[in-house]
Amino acid sequence: MSEKDTSQRSGESSPGLSDVDFLLTPPRDPSWLIVEDGFTLVREHEIESIFAVANGYIGARAAVEEGSRLSQPGVFAAGVYIDDPNSLVGPALATLPDWSRLEIIVDGQRLSLESGRVLEHRRILDLRRGILWREWRQQDLCGRITRAVLLRLVSLSDRHALLQSAAVTAENYSGQIELVADAASFDRGNKRGRLTADSEATIITVLAGKTVVAMAAGAISRPNCELPRSFRKGSSVDRPEKHWSWEARLGETVHLHRPVAIYTSREAADPGVSAQRHVAYLQEQGMTALIAAHSAAWSRRWSAADLRIVGDSKADLALRFAAYHLIAAANPADEHVSIGARGLTGRAYQGHVFWDTEIYMLPFYLLTEPTAARALLMYRYHTLGAARRKAEAYGYRGALYAWESTDTGAEATPRAALAPDGRIVPILTGAQEHHISADIAYAVWQYWRATGDDGFMIDAGGDILIETARFWASRARMEPDGRAHIRAVIGPDEYHETVDDNAYTNIMARWNLDRAADAATRLARKRPAEWRRQAARLALDDDEPMTWRRIAAALVTGFHPATGLFEQFEGYFALDDVDVVSRREGSTPLDLYLGREKTRRSKAIKQADVVAICALLWDEWPRAVHAANFAYYEPRTAHGSSLSPAIHALVAARLDDGERALKYFRQSSEIDLADNMGNAAGGVHMGALAGLWQAAVFGMAGLRIREDGIALDPHLPPGWSEICFPALWRGRTARLTLEADPARIEVEVEGVGEMTIRVIDGPSCRARAGRCYVSSRQGARWGAWREACR
Ligand code: IFM
């Protein structure tokens, strides 16, 4: 290790006492904080996921800086995958060097939570500002007590910027303290990259798959007022390591701030140069500016997304936690990436993108940050080529999207997995779970409806709708019974493979076919010249939309008029009934408990399937149909997927079953926060978090997006006295407050123009921007809207 004295303070920006105060005082408002007190080694993996920080470009798990026996740090960049042809699991999100690795060494002894005495240890996730804090007081084996306050953030205002800060205090001793930043721990997480380091500038360059990723780290050291005379910094010549040391005086606190910049070859010609320049800029700006800009960006996002529940502080915090991870997962500036099932918080599912994004997550962005929703849909537009190739490979027309997708859009679902009993079992979802194409089309339509963005439809969205409709038109077959059938698929309920006429798939396909035909008519009317070019580009025959409508009308839906039930797939009603409800509390997933064959022959369902259609297409059928299907399928659902409970909460709320809605809401909110499925270690469940938000907004508040505005159908569950949230509709923000008792809705519209606010089965009003309106329930009816003063 080469050591050189570089104790001069040139290049440091004005400290200002506020920096110091800030770093010593993590926030205390419990309504914005997720707090983990103490240290339980075996919980580390899930804590690392829950407390992760991200900005849609970079994500970092919350591993303790100095590491522990079980630490699994993980730094990920959106869209950066490693595709190892020998890997069983297919392309995987690359694990990048751990920029946050920092050890504290006191008189030669490395501080560790696993040796000496932990006097105090607390991790605090500040949801409001997207900052991870750590307060730690440790007594080492010689009795020295060191206090450290650590901060970590991934900037939301400048997606290439990251910051780590440490304030270290020698509480009861004088002695040498050394901090060592060593991103080489990268090697532990990922053997497939290449690591080169320029130790002078602390730049690390790795080759992750086909992408070059560069990280440059700087340092701004700042004591309470003066740096100790002994302050030295140095670097290692043979590894990307930096260290700082000083002779600490009793009670003295020394601060170190490490701005870090990351670039990849996805957006920079020379990521190393870009990272180096950017970190120099960050050093010059100083950490106060970096934190202020980051906090301001979070505050803007919260202003468009903060949902409050009055009367249920647990639900309130769970929704903030959900919104925090959703905000952190999106990057509206990059339309070539999407959000994986676990965002950028863990390795589960190798960072693959599923229907979770369009059906579960997208509505959150639609109503709070439509540019992010657009970027996510553009990712599907850019991967349309791969979807066309997949359809062609199976002998179909149009676009069949990958069930699991990465940066290329090619099918990334592993073909086989190792079962707990050691057998290799084939995974058929990649070949059979075709509803993904309709799910993406559904999301395109919702986006169009909420934003009125015709330009997007002409440039991209219309292509997706048409190509997916073409797929269904070739996928469905007219049979001798005069009906169109879709055979050999897997629906959302993955316990049953190779089934015919899955109701979810067929109804969503029907919807896809009809909406594509509608889009053709509407675009031809609204944008005739551009539509002609789009139709020519897609080689659309004039009679194709009519064919789509004909096939849609002929598609079997499995509806039984006598009972009002949709049969989940052909033959489902003849399967064996098993007791699912009493197995729900068990720790073994139902399909493992029953075994593959018995599960297949049973009516046990993995997750919302028919119930999911109720949630997505509620207004297509009368309430009685939803009630019948929910009553039938809910007791048969094992909730073996994290996506399931929230959608049950949504539908239960709409059916006015408040107790059940709340039970499912809690179950969903605990998937990460209480690790109630035992798999939060692999990252937070983005779909479930978004589903929780949907349960509150679409279920409890009953919001629907309409052509002329929004409609509401409040069903506040027991204990919720008020729900307040903003909803963006075509550039206007409706700030909504729904009160339970007496029932009352208040809305204030921000922006320009007007929009319709309607109570379902009740009065509507044209609400003008800058005004506030109120409707109160009088007995069984909602009273007319009146303008209210603010
Ligand atoms: O997309 C889901 C699927 O529905 C069930 N298994 C997990 C996937 C990722 O969340």
Side-chain angles (χ1 to χ4, degrees):
M1 189 181 285
S2 78
E3 185 87 43
K4 54 193 170 127
D5 190 346
T6 50
S7 59
Q8 77 280 4
R9 264 160 261 146
S10 60
E12 289 171 12
S13 63
S14 62
L17 263 182
S18 59
D19 292 8
V20 173
D21 292 345
F22 181 82
L23 188 49
L24 289 174
T25 47
R28 301 290 174 207
D29 176 354
S31 71
W32 283 102
L33 303 180
I34 303 294
V35 180
E36 173 70 10
D37 266 307
F39 176 71
T40 310
L41 185 63
V42 290
R43 288 200 64 218
E44 266 312 280
H45 292 176
E46 75 213 47
I47 299 292
E48 289 170 359
S49 302
I50 295 167
F51 286 75
V53 286
N55 63 10
Y57 172 66
I58 297 294
R61 286 169 64 76
V64 290
E65 285 76 359
E66 70 286 359
S68 71
R69 266 174 300 154
L70 288 186
S71 289
Q72 261 183 7
V75 177
F76 312 103
V80 178
Y81 291 88
I82 295 181
D83 192 359
D84 177 349
N86 299 319
S87 157
L88 253 187
V89 292
L93 203 55
T95 302
L96 305 176
D98 180 15
W99 59 281
S100 64
R101 176 84 181 184
L102 190 70
E103 294 185 350
I104 303 172
I105 296 168
V106 177
D107 282 338
Q109 267 188 45
R110 181 179 161 272
L111 277 199
S112 161
L113 286 159
E114 296 171 278
S115 86
R117 265 181 71 204
V118 182
L119 301 178
E120 208 179 315
H121 189 247
R122 186 171 303 111
R123 270 170 285 189
I124 302 170
L125 183 62
D126 176 2
L127 305 173
R128 184 172 8 205
R129 284 182 303 185
I131 296 177
L132 171 63
W133 294 87
R134 189 172 165 215
E135 295 177 301
W136 180 24
R137 277 179 75 232
Q138 181 77 15
Q139 184 169 43
D140 65 22
L141 294 172
C142 302
R144 288 169 297 220
I145 299 175
T146 306
R147 177 180 153 81
V149 180
L150 297 133
L151 163 160
R152 204 184 302 179
L153 66 85
V154 176
S155 173
L156 195 67
S157 55
D158 171 356
R159 286 192 157 79
H160 297 282
L162 298 78
L163 179 71
Q164 177 180 54
S165 292
V168 183
T169 310
E171 262 196 30
N172 66 346
Y173 63 94
S174 298
Q176 203 207 37
I177 298 185
E178 185 179 20
L179 301 182
V180 180
D182 177 10
S185 52
F186 151 73
D187 276 335
R188 290 174 21 185
N190 184 352
K191 301 269 181 233
R192 291 186 276 182
R194 181 162 58 80
L195 179 70
T196 60
D198 172 341
S199 57
E200 273 306 297
T202 325
I203 300 172
I204 301 168
T205 312
V206 291
L207 183 62
K210 56 185 185 289
T211 309
V212 177
V213 181
M215 273 181 198
I220 310 167
S221 36
R222 206 174 299 298
N224 255 333
C225 26
E226 285 291 318
L227 282 168
R229 280 188 190 290
S230 57
F231 195 83
R232 296 158 75 84
K233 64 184 182 187
S235 53
S236 160
V237 285
D238 55 357
R239 50 189 300 156
E241 180 184 283
K242 273 267 189 250
H243 51 103
W244 302 264
S245 60
W246 65 98
E247 289 302 327
R249 288 180 304 223
L250 179 72
E252 182 183 42
T253 300
V254 168
H255 295 247
L256 175 78
H257 307 300
R258 297 181 62 233
V260 174
I262 300 185
Y263 278 82
T264 80
S265 54
R266 290 185 61 247
E267 74 282 344
D270 188 335
V273 169
S274 300
Q276 195 171 8
R277 282 200 191 125
H278 204 77
V279 87
Y281 158 81
L282 295 174
Q283 294 233 138
E284 209 176 296
Q285 295 282 300
M287 79 123 185
T288 312
L290 199 161
I291 292 175
H294 167 75
S295 303
W298 271 97
S299 149
R300 275 193 299 279
R301 283 297 286 116
W302 280 118
S303 150
D306 193 22
L307 188 157
R308 303 305 319 269
I309 306 293
V310 179
D312 186 340
S313 55
K314 231 175 145 184
D316 186 56
L317 186 62
L319 283 159
R320 277 192 165 154
F321 175 72
Y324 162 81
H325 276 293
L326 287 160
I327 294 169
N331 180 1
D334 190 346
E335 54 182 53
H336 290 272
V337 297
S338 187
I339 303 174
R342 303 299 182 93
L344 295 171
T345 69
R347 294 174 182 84
Y349 296 113
Q350 293 77 43
H352 293 176
V353 178
F354 293 75
W355 70 314
D356 307 29
T357 313
E358 284 76 19
I359 293 299
Y360 288 84
M361 299 177 218
L362 196 114
F364 171 82
Y365 301 112
L366 209 51
L367 291 181
T368 69
E369 195 183 23
T371 48
R374 188 180 194 283
L376 292 171
L377 294 172
M378 286 305 290
Y379 160 81
R380 294 298 192 178
Y381 172 71
H382 293 303
T383 51
L384 199 49
R388 285 187 179 115
R389 287 190 289 280
K390 180 174 172 189
E392 200 184 342
Y394 282 93
Y396 304 118
R397 292 187 68 213
L400 170 56
Y401 278 96
W403 174 244
E404 297 187 27
S405 187
T406 60
D407 53 333
T408 62
E411 184 54 71
T413 307
R415 285 172 197 271
L418 198 60
D421 61 7
R423 279 182 309 144
I424 302 268
V425 286
I427 298 179
L428 301 181
T429 50
Q432 295 188 2
E433 206 154 346
H434 291 177
H435 64 80
I436 177 91
S437 276
D439 300 332
I440 292 167
Y442 178 88
V444 165
W445 189 266
Q446 301 306 321
Y447 172 82
W448 195 18
R449 191 137 68 148
T451 62
D453 185 350
D454 293 341
F456 164 77
M457 290 303 288
I458 287 287
D459 292 341
D463 295 33
I464 296 177
L465 271 180
I466 288 166
E467 287 293 62
T468 48
R470 278 177 166 160
F471 164 69
W472 293 117
S474 66
R475 180 68 177 80
R477 294 267 186 270
M478 292 303 293
E479 295 193 5
D481 62 356
R483 308 298 305 273
H485 296 266
I486 300 177
R487 304 212 176 262
V489 295
I490 299 176
D493 162 28
E494 294 166 340
Y495 287 170
H496 296 94
E497 297 168 329
T498 325
V499 299
D500 295 333
D501 289 326
N502 166 246
Y504 179 95
T505 305
N506 288 21
I507 291 170
M508 292 297 280
R510 179 176 79 171
W511 192 94
N512 189 164
L513 289 159
D514 280 333
R515 294 298 82 75
D518 290 349
T521 312
R522 283 196 201 187
L523 291 172
R525 182 168 39 80
K526 288 176 90 177
R527 304 262 193 141
E530 288 154 300
W531 166 248
R532 271 195 298 279
R533 281 198 292 279
Q534 186 171 23
R537 183 172 79 225
L538 292 164
L540 186 76
D541 285 344
D542 288 347
D543 56 1
E544 266 190 88
M546 279 311 296
T547 310
W548 299 336
R549 289 215 192 274
R550 198 170 40 74
I551 296 169
L555 262 171
V556 166
T557 63
F559 187 65
H560 289 231
T563 55
L565 293 180
F566 289 100
E567 185 167 21
Q568 190 179 286
F569 53 82
E570 193 184 296
Y572 174 86
F573 286 152
L575 296 175
D576 302 338
D577 251 318
V578 289
D579 179 6
V580 172
V581 175
S582 63
R583 291 296 321 163
R584 279 189 191 145
E585 303 305 321
S587 54
T588 315
L590 188 82
D591 56 331
L592 289 186
Y593 171 75
L594 292 178
R596 204 172 153 91
E597 267 316 296
K598 203 164 171 199
T599 308
R600 213 173 53 79
R601 287 197 310 272
S602 80
K603 285 186 183 150
I605 302 167
K606 180 177 181 182
Q607 67 193 91
D609 192 305
V610 171
V611 169
I613 322 173
C614 296
L616 297 180
L617 299 174
W618 184 272
D619 292 324
E620 306 251 323
W621 301 283
R623 184 183 185 282
V625 168
H626 298 301
N629 282 283
F630 189 77
Y632 185 85
Y633 286 106
E634 186 269 338
R636 294 177 166 84
T637 307
H639 307 296
S641 161
S642 64
L643 299 175
S644 194
I647 216 148
H648 279 76
L650 189 164
V651 174
R654 284 197 178 171
L655 291 171
D656 248 337
D657 186 349
E659 296 282 356
R660 205 178 300 268
L662 207 51
K663 172 186 136 290
Y664 277 120
F665 183 91
R666 295 241 187 277
Q667 184 178 340
S668 188
S669 70
E670 289 172 1
I671 289 172
D672 292 313
L673 287 172
D675 194 19
N676 68 4
M677 293 186 79
N679 60 7
V684 297
H685 299 71
M686 296 303 304
L689 293 169
L692 196 71
W693 178 91
Q694 285 200 44
V697 171
F698 298 149
M700 315 328 193
L703 185 140
R704 324 271 212 280
I705 302 168
R706 294 270 164 86
E707 284 294 332
D708 58 353
I710 57 175
L712 298 159
D713 182 18
H715 300 279
L716 271 58
W720 291 26
S721 54
E722 200 174 305
I723 173 168
C724 321
F725 59 95
L728 246 166
W729 179 89
R730 300 197 182 186
R732 284 139 227 163
T733 300
R735 295 206 172 270
L736 299 153
T737 304
L738 285 69
E739 291 163 9
D741 194 14
R744 183 177 175 275
I745 304 176
E746 186 178 303
V747 57
E748 195 182 355
V749 178
E750 290 173 4
V752 181
E754 48 182 45
M755 64 190 284
T756 297
I757 307 286
R758 188 185 308 274
V759 182
I760 305 258
D761 298 329
S764 66
C765 76
R766 282 301 281 171
R768 281 192 283 160
R771 307 286 175 87
C772 179
Y773 302 83
V774 169
S775 172
S776 304
R777 201 175 167 103
Q778 291 142 6
R781 308 167 74 95
W782 285 92
W785 289 93
R786 56 192 166 73
E787 212 173 307
C789 299
R790 277 245 123 201

